[in-house]
Amino acid sequence: MTISSLSAATTTVGGELFKDAFRAHPAGVAVVTAAGPDGPVGLTASSVASVSADPPALAFSVSEGRSASQLAWAGTVVVHLMGAQQLDLVRAFSTRGAPRFTDRMDWELLASGEPLLRAAPWALRCEIAHRVPVGGSVLIAATVLDVRTVAGGGEPLVYHDRAFHRLGPHSRLP
């Protein structure tokens, strides 16, 4: 394929073809939480990416919705990088109307006000640095302030083709 034919192909891409392409691209799973005006808010995200190691920074996007709107305009958030053992939490935060921040979720408010899910293998407390509206979403760049880890976090969790998958020795290629 030549460059010119690639360019021609990309000008006619619709939303469904774009979604199909990303369904075929596995992504790590995170739960992003923040202190909202009416209490803690959170949602599941598969758009989290490392941006910089010096200073530590990451990015994620949120689309329309009550939790997403409150997260997009919070000053700080906690990005929880989830493992396969936290699948129930991930599902709760990805299901519209599902109860969140219940006693059985094992969470606490940090001294800085953000909710922390104690079971997450990694939790990165971040300050929002930039917000960029893109279509019906907001791309958020954040500087990492603190990192918390739980030893033995288990197998990583990825999202691929509308389903959650566990990574481990069974999925390692030679």
Side-chain angles (χ1 to χ4, degrees):
M1 176 179 287
T2 66
I3 298 290
S4 61
S5 63
L6 179 61
S7 297
T10 59
T11 60
T12 59
V13 171
E16 288 307 310
L17 188 57
F18 177 79
K19 289 178 191 177
D20 287 346
F22 273 88
R23 281 184 194 115
H25 182 72
V29 180
V31 172
V32 183
T33 61
D38 300 321
V41 295
L43 54 79
T44 297
S46 60
S47 62
V48 177
S50 167
V51 174
S52 169
D54 188 18
L58 57 81
F60 62 94
S61 65
V62 294
S63 54
E64 298 174 9
R66 181 181 173 273
S67 294
S69 296
Q70 291 181 25
L71 278 171
W73 298 108
T76 57
V77 297
V78 178
V79 177
H80 304 82
L81 305 180
M82 305 303 273
Q85 292 176 317
Q86 292 79 41
L87 183 57
D88 288 344
L89 277 172
V90 167
R91 285 191 170 134
F93 282 91
S94 65
T95 303
R96 183 169 287 159
R100 299 173 184 174
F101 302 106
T102 65
D103 290 339
R104 65 181 186 86
M105 288 188 174
D106 193 20
W107 68 282
E108 67 180 283
L109 283 178
L110 296 172
S112 51
E114 307 89 347
L116 171 75
L117 303 173
R118 292 185 186 117
W122 293 93
L124 297 88
R125 184 173 164 268
C126 305
E127 180 177 31
I128 304 299
H130 303 284
R131 295 173 182 87
V132 181
V134 181
S137 299
V138 177
L139 176 65
I140 297 172
T143 304
V144 178
L145 303 172
D146 300 301
V147 177
R148 176 184 180 274
T149 184
V150 175
E155 296 175 321
L157 181 66
V158 296
Y159 191 70
H160 174 257
D161 198 20
R162 295 183 177 179
F164 295 106
H165 300 266
R166 152 185 297 135
L167 292 182
H170 66 282
S171 60
R172 185 170 303 189
L173 299 174

